[in-house]
Amino acid sequence: MDTANENKMGIMPVGKLLITMSLPMMISMVVQALYNIVDSVFVSRVSEDALTAVSMAFPLQALCIALGAGMGVGVNALLSKSLGAKDNDMVNKSALNGLFMTFVSYLVLLVIGIFAVKPFYMIQTDSADIIQYGTDYLSVICCFSFGMFFQFTFERLLQSTGRTFQTMITQTVGAVTNIILDPIFIFGYFGVPAFGVKGAAIATVIGQIIAAVLALIMNIKVNTDIDFSLKGFKPDIKIIGMIYKVGLPSIIMQSIGSVMVFCLNKILIVFSSTAVAVFGVYFKLQSFVFMPVFGLNNGLIPIMAYNYGAKKKDRMIKTIKCGLLIAFSIMSVGMVVFELFPDAILALFEASDNMLAMGKVALRTIAIHFPIAAICIVLGSAFQALGNAVYSMFVSIARQLVVLIPVAYALSKLGNVNYVWWCFPIAEIMSLTITVIFFIKLKREVIDKI
């Protein structure tokens, strides 16, 4: 074999390759999680209603992320597979059609930001303060989401060609920008008006736009595997279909997460707005544990897709094994931290005595499922990399809609909010069972036949 022109994803030792590709993304994901937490820490100092409003924004905000990230997953898998198969024409067409659909996705969110944000809050609560805080925050996030969408796509183009160090730079710059601007725009420093909750949204979109511009520059300067010339470009329905064959299940999976959070907020608000705030704080905190694993996942997918295209079965299996070991270790550490230090964690959010008492039980109960989730996430990356993302979609639907929400609703009828949190470990056990069954099927029908 001529290794001189071989991409590192086909020749570098698997353990070293996975660390090389995933570590920059894991670091950048930790920074992303950090700024999400800092965002809520600053907002909590406005008021508990402000924190609740930002928590209630999550379902619609997650929809924005789902559209961008899901489409990016499809581009990532198709482009990496095309690289492995040495199909340079398909590499370029995948990139350009992905960028076209990125713009289309932004137009959808612009319409939502203009017309749907206030009604979205009004069906969740009748608190005028929460509705106002939420409308101020979410309108900015949606209407200026072009930064987020193009950041996702340009970073995925770098990731799919093995240039993950550059994505670490772009994500870190965006996140640090957000962290710096948060207090300036929320509380009004250096002559800037105090925008309150809206300031958190302004800081977020500025960070995303800066990261998107930087990611574009990185692609133009260093991504030699892709030709970004738009000369003669026309949207290709077939290629867009191939992108969404992998990406649509991911979009649906993350959108299902939005539905799950929306429904759980509706269940929790019956107890109190504090219960919703606790759930929102949990979601911010758990990102600090899950984001590194998602960063690992972003490294796993192009490695597996490349070696699938190159028909290198042993490297695919080694990648999965290494991924499982790393993800399980990260999630186990996260579980231990949540179990031992819930008081210190909640104190960051100006938690009242009521919120502290409720939050301690919530964090300790929900964290039980972290190590189980690690296995599901890594095996799910194999489904996406090999073009069977529909398996991941099915598992996600079963976990969040078929099990988690009905169980949460049933437990809420016992009259104690502390019982509701058990819906997460229960749903994750079911998720693991189905994921393992699908993976055994995938291994037998696809991997073993390579």
Side-chain angles (χ1 to χ4, degrees):
M1 179 189 295
D2 177 17
T3 60
N5 297 316
E6 179 83 1
N7 189 286
K8 68 180 180 181
M9 289 188 284
I11 57 174
M12 185 181 289
V14 171
K16 181 180 179 182
L17 175 65
L18 184 56
I19 295 297
T20 300
M21 288 192 60
S22 298
L23 188 59
M25 286 185 286
M26 292 168 71
I27 293 171
S28 61
M29 288 283 194
V30 169
V31 176
Q32 294 280 320
L34 178 62
Y35 94 68
N36 282 334
I37 292 172
V38 171
D39 214 38
S40 291
V41 167
F42 283 128
V43 168
S44 70
R45 279 151 176 75
V46 175
S47 71
E48 189 172 299
D49 278 349
L51 181 60
T52 301
V54 172
S55 299
M56 285 183 167
F58 181 82
L60 198 51
Q61 205 169 357
L63 178 62
C64 300
I65 296 171
L67 287 172
M71 195 270 298
V73 166
V75 173
N76 195 338
L78 178 60
L79 204 152
S80 294
K81 183 180 178 182
S82 301
L83 273 176
K86 305 295 187 292
D87 187 346
N88 293 329
D89 184 54
M90 180 59 77
V91 168
N92 298 331
K93 288 180 178 179
S94 301
L96 294 177
N97 280 278
L99 289 169
F100 171 75
M101 291 310 299
T102 296
F103 179 71
V104 173
S105 298
Y106 163 64
L107 294 181
V108 173
L109 262 295
L110 177 61
V111 173
I112 290 174
I114 294 171
F115 297 107
V117 169
K118 190 168 184 177
F120 169 75
Y121 271 96
M122 292 176 69
I123 61 176
Q124 294 188 81
T125 179
D126 56 4
S127 169
D129 286 343
I130 293 176
I131 292 172
Q132 188 60 56
Y133 282 135
T135 302
D136 289 345
Y137 177 81
L138 203 49
S139 295
V140 174
I141 293 292
C142 292
C143 290
F144 294 90
S145 58
F146 61 86
M148 180 203 67
F149 279 116
F150 281 102
Q151 179 187 352
F152 268 125
T153 302
F154 286 130
E155 287 175 350
R156 286 298 189 277
L157 295 179
L158 290 167
Q159 291 169 11
S160 58
T161 57
R163 294 171 174 85
T164 55
F165 178 76
Q166 283 76 17
T167 65
M168 180 187 73
I169 295 173
T170 59
Q171 291 184 1
T172 301
V173 168
V176 171
T177 299
N178 190 339
I179 292 172
I180 293 171
L181 294 182
D182 257 337
I184 295 174
F185 283 100
I186 293 173
F187 304 115
Y189 296 132
F190 308 112
V192 176
F195 288 102
V197 174
K198 183 185 287 187
I202 294 171
T204 295
V205 298
I206 291 175
Q208 291 167 346
I209 292 168
I210 289 174
V213 172
L214 186 57
L216 170 60
I217 294 171
M218 293 284 192
N219 271 285
I220 294 172
K221 294 291 186 182
V222 304
N223 203 346
T224 55
D225 289 300
I226 301 174
D227 180 5
F228 288 94
S229 173
L230 294 173
K231 185 177 180 180
F233 169 73
K234 292 181 180 179
D236 189 317
I237 299 300
K238 182 179 179 181
I239 292 176
I240 291 172
M242 293 170 70
I243 290 172
Y244 278 99
K245 181 184 177 183
V246 176
L248 187 59
S250 181
I251 292 171
I252 293 173
M253 280 190 295
Q254 294 189 60
S255 299
I256 289 167
S258 300
V259 175
M260 181 274 288
V261 173
F262 178 82
C263 292
L264 203 50
N265 281 341
K266 293 284 285 184
I267 291 170
L268 293 171
I269 198 70
V270 173
F271 291 98
S272 67
S273 62
T274 300
V276 175
V278 165
F279 181 49
V281 166
Y282 157 72
F283 241 85
K284 297 286 186 178
L285 292 170
Q286 61 93 30
S287 68
F288 209 71
V289 183
F290 277 77
M291 282 295 195
V293 179
F294 291 144
L296 175 71
N297 206 38
N298 288 338
L300 281 165
I301 291 174
I303 294 172
M304 290 200 63
Y306 183 97
N307 287 286
Y308 177 44
K311 302 187 183 303
K312 297 181 178 181
K313 179 173 69 174
D314 290 345
R315 290 179 64 80
M316 293 169 62
I317 294 173
K318 287 180 181 178
T319 301
I320 294 172
K321 289 180 178 179
C322 288
L324 284 170
L325 178 62
I326 296 170
F328 189 83
S329 300
I330 293 170
M331 289 294 213
S332 296
V333 171
M335 181 187 70
V336 170
V337 171
F338 271 55
E339 296 295 337
L340 296 181
F341 309 109
D343 303 70
I345 295 171
L346 289 163
L348 295 171
F349 299 88
E350 298 286 304
S352 62
D353 291 342
N354 184 32
M355 184 176 175
L356 189 61
M358 188 185 299
K360 285 163 58 178
V361 177
L363 296 187
R364 283 174 169 156
T365 303
I366 299 174
I368 293 171
H369 86 281
F370 287 179
I372 305 172
I375 301 171
C376 297
I377 292 170
V378 172
L379 295 185
S381 71
F383 302 157
Q384 295 173 3
L386 303 186
N388 292 78
V390 68
Y391 288 173
S392 296
M393 181 181 70
F394 183 85
V395 172
S396 186
I397 292 173
R399 176 185 176 271
Q400 299 185 82
L401 299 187
V402 178
V403 178
L404 194 148
I405 291 301
V407 168
Y409 180 75
L411 292 173
S412 72
K413 292 303 177 182
L414 298 176
N416 188 333
V417 69
N418 291 333
Y419 295 146
V420 176
W421 313 122
W422 282 99
C423 66
F424 285 93
I426 292 170
E428 203 62 58
I429 291 171
M430 180 284 307
S431 177
L432 176 64
T433 303
I434 299 177
T435 298
V436 169
I437 292 172
F438 278 149
F439 182 75
I440 292 172
K441 183 175 185 292
L442 183 70
K443 185 175 183 298
R444 184 175 64 247
E445 296 178 357
V446 179
I447 297 176
D448 288 345
K449 291 184 179 180
I450 295 175

